[in-house]
Every structure is written in C-alpha cells, then in structure tokens.
Amino acid sequence: MAKSSLIFCTALAACLALAAADWSQGTATFYGGPDGSDTMGGACGYGNLYDAGYGINNAALSQTLFNDGASCGQCYVIICDGSRPGGQYCKPGGTAITVSATNLCPANYALPNGGWCGPGRPHFDMSQPAWENIGVYQAGVIPVLYQQVKCWRNGGVRFSFAGFNYFVLVNIQNLGGSGSVGAAWVKGDKTGWIQMSRNWGANWQALSDLVGQGLSFAVLSTGGQYIQFLNVVPAWWQFGMAFKTYQNFDY
C-alpha cells in the first residue's frame, strides 16, 4: 500500500507540475457593482452583454492582454494565487472562474498601491460577481493565476450593425472556440466577397454600399477555424439591427 501511495503521489506531483506550466501570473480587481450592471458596453463594443452572449462573468483586460481589441471575446480561467503576497485575500474555498474579455482596463487605472493596467501588466478588472468567486471583497486586488481556455457559448455567432450609407460597421459577437475574430469578410447579393478590417474592439468595417442587399459573412477565428455564414442577413436589414445564426466555432 505504501509503495502504491508513493507511486500515486509522484505521478500526481508530476501532473500538477505539468499543469502549473500552463498558468501565467497576474493580478485582479473588480468593478461594476454587485450586479455587474456597470460592466455593460465597453471597449469591445458588445453593448448589452446578455444580448451579446457574454453575461455577467466578464472582465476588462489590461493593455498587455487586450492587444488593441484582438482579444475581445476570449475566455480565461482565473484562480486566486495564495502563494504570493496578497494571497491571504483569496476566498476560502474559492473556485476557479471563467470570464470573457469584454472591455479594456485603462492604463492609468490606479489603486492606492499603484496602477495595475499599464503596459507589461497582465491584469483582469473583473465584474464584481465574477471576482467574488475567488477573492475577499475587502482586498481590492489579489494575485491570480490564469490561462486562456476554450469558450463555450449558447447559440450561434451574432452580427450587430452600426454605421451609415457606405460605411458598414459590424460587431461580431458570441464566438465559441477561441472566442475572438482573426479576419472577416462580407458578401452582398450584388457583390463578391469584401474583406473587412478591424475598426475598434470587436467591430469590423466595410466601406461599401450594402444597404438593400441580403448579406453573407465569412469569419476566421483566431484559433484558425473558417466558417461561412451564408444568407444570414435579409435584404431589409437596417443599421441598429442584430442577427443571430445557428453556426459557431469549435476552435
């Protein structure tokens, strides 16, 4: 029995060491109030996070993680790191929490003990309900371990329209898999495929007159999966509308 236990403990230690290699160190704070209502909107342009598919378990990323909006929609699992200074504020019995990136934490964001969201700092400013899964409210800031993980979403990818006339701005939402958009194209009933460019956050633009045309989209996720969403927007679409699909990403 003792020998079996030793073998098990050695294997477990090796597994834990291997798993630890996938984690990165960072810090976390919270914002948005106990109901998370002030986390709606943000630098990804998702607007109402419930409508867009992200809900209350969300976070604003520091500049280092936000990557000029390329990280919008990505998912991160976060745990409190009790081995580092500030670890005494980890919530007793706290569990890992998975959040979606929906906002940017400004570089000048500061607490009494200094700024946390500037260049070079991997920091998560989490919704308060998400943060309280891992930290004690009085702490303010806690050390964390994090890693990017696969996103699991309900329903399909969603396309939300803004812009005017020849300027079409589309917010691409609710991606599964890698969670974020690497490239996008749009096609009207009277056009070929038009490559879009990132404007800001998760907003992608096309400088073309597409009003009055039914639209299709093609999206390449940052995970490398390419999906065509054919004829998903009817010709009667208008700016301010959003359209759901039945397709989503695995990676």
Side-chain angles (χ1 to χ4, degrees):
M1 178 65 72
K3 184 177 180 180
S4 298
S5 297
L6 178 61
I7 293 173
F8 172 78
C9 290
T10 302
L12 178 61
C15 291
L16 290 175
L18 181 62
D22 295 330
W23 294 88
S24 299
Q25 292 185 343
T27 48
T29 49
F30 65 85
Y31 80 116
D35 63 354
S37 58
D38 289 340
T39 65
M40 298 294 121
C44 290
Y46 293 136
N48 186 307
L49 296 178
Y50 289 103
D51 291 344
Y54 302 102
I56 203 64
N57 288 336
N58 61 74
L61 305 185
S62 61
Q63 282 188 334
T64 297
L65 297 174
F66 190 69
N67 194 21
D68 292 329
S71 298
C72 284
Q74 292 180 358
C75 296
Y76 298 85
V77 61
I78 303 174
I79 60 176
C80 193
D81 184 2
S83 68
R84 290 158 54 202
Q88 68 272 25
Y89 296 113
C90 293
K91 183 176 181 179
T95 59
I97 183 68
T98 300
V99 297
S100 298
T102 59
N103 201 357
L104 169 67
C105 183
N108 60 356
Y109 177 68
L111 293 170
N113 56 346
W116 294 98
C117 290
R121 291 182 178 270
H123 184 83
F124 298 85
D125 199 19
M126 302 165 62
S127 71
Q128 183 175 332
W131 189 91
E132 288 186 338
N133 283 275
I134 58 174
V136 177
Y137 177 83
Q138 292 81 1
V141 60
I142 55 174
V144 298
L145 295 172
Y146 71 93
Q147 59 178 283
Q148 186 181 346
V149 295
K150 179 177 179 178
C151 297
W152 299 93
R153 306 293 187 202
N154 291 322
V157 173
R158 186 174 184 264
F159 299 93
S160 180
F161 285 79
F164 55 90
N165 297 334
Y166 290 86
F167 174 63
V168 178
L169 192 66
V170 181
N171 191 269
I172 306 177
Q173 308 170 347
N174 200 45
L175 270 71
S178 66
S180 50
V181 178
W185 297 260
V186 62
K187 181 182 181 300
D189 292 336
K190 302 175 184 178
T191 74
W193 287 105
I194 301 167
Q195 184 156 13
M196 306 179 77
S197 59
R198 187 191 308 277
N199 186 289
W200 61 275
N203 289 296
W204 291 75
Q205 68 179 26
L207 303 178
S208 183
D209 183 11
L210 297 171
V211 176
Q213 298 184 55
L215 302 179
S216 299
F217 289 94
V219 177
L220 178 68
S221 73
T222 53
Q225 185 177 3
Y226 175 83
I227 297 179
Q228 289 187 347
F229 301 86
L230 299 176
N231 304 312
V232 293
V233 177
W236 46 261
W237 70 270
Q238 296 181 10
F239 295 110
M241 289 183 170
F243 297 88
K244 297 180 179 179
T245 73
Y246 297 98
Q247 297 170 274
N248 215 321
F249 291 86
D250 293 319
Y251 58 91

